[in-house]
Amino acid sequence: MSQAASPEKSPSGLTVDEVAGFRRRILKWYSVHQRDLPWRRNDDPYSVWLSEMLLQQTRVDQARPYYDRFMARFPTVQ
């Protein structure tokens, strides 16, 4: 008696197809709902690091003015 192969599972316990479907849905959602944020406009590690520090326990709408002022005064790590 042969046994049907079970679908390959990811570490999350989902099948590879389920993970791929989720990935497609979340990327589609993001393309519609993404916000235009200054730290997403470039890949400068300094600006990304600063945004991560500000957003640790602060909402984006509260952190953004601080980010803008800080980057205006200290545009580089130097």
Side-chain angles (χ1 to χ4, degrees):
M1 191 178 261
S2 68
Q3 209 172 10
S6 60
E8 184 179 344
K9 299 277 185 167
S10 71
S12 67
L14 300 172
T15 67
V16 172
D17 288 341
E18 289 169 328
V19 172
F22 175 76
R23 183 180 295 124
R24 281 189 301 276
R25 288 190 304 276
I26 199 73
L27 289 172
K28 182 179 177 183
W29 178 90
Y30 179 77
S31 71
V32 171
H33 298 284
Q34 67 181 311
R35 292 180 278 184
D36 180 28
L37 300 170
W39 48 87
R40 290 183 179 163
R41 293 183 199 140
N42 64 61
D43 59 357
D44 173 37
Y46 172 66
S47 66
V48 173
W49 172 79
L50 178 60
S51 72
E52 290 294 329
M53 294 301 105
L54 290 170
L55 295 171
Q56 285 293 311
Q57 294 185 3
T58 309
R59 294 189 328 258
V60 170
D61 60 322
Q62 291 179 319
R64 189 168 180 176
Y66 290 96
Y67 173 89
D68 292 336
R69 287 193 303 268
F70 195 94
M71 288 300 287
R73 184 160 182 199
F74 306 105
T76 69
V77 76
Q78 286 80 17

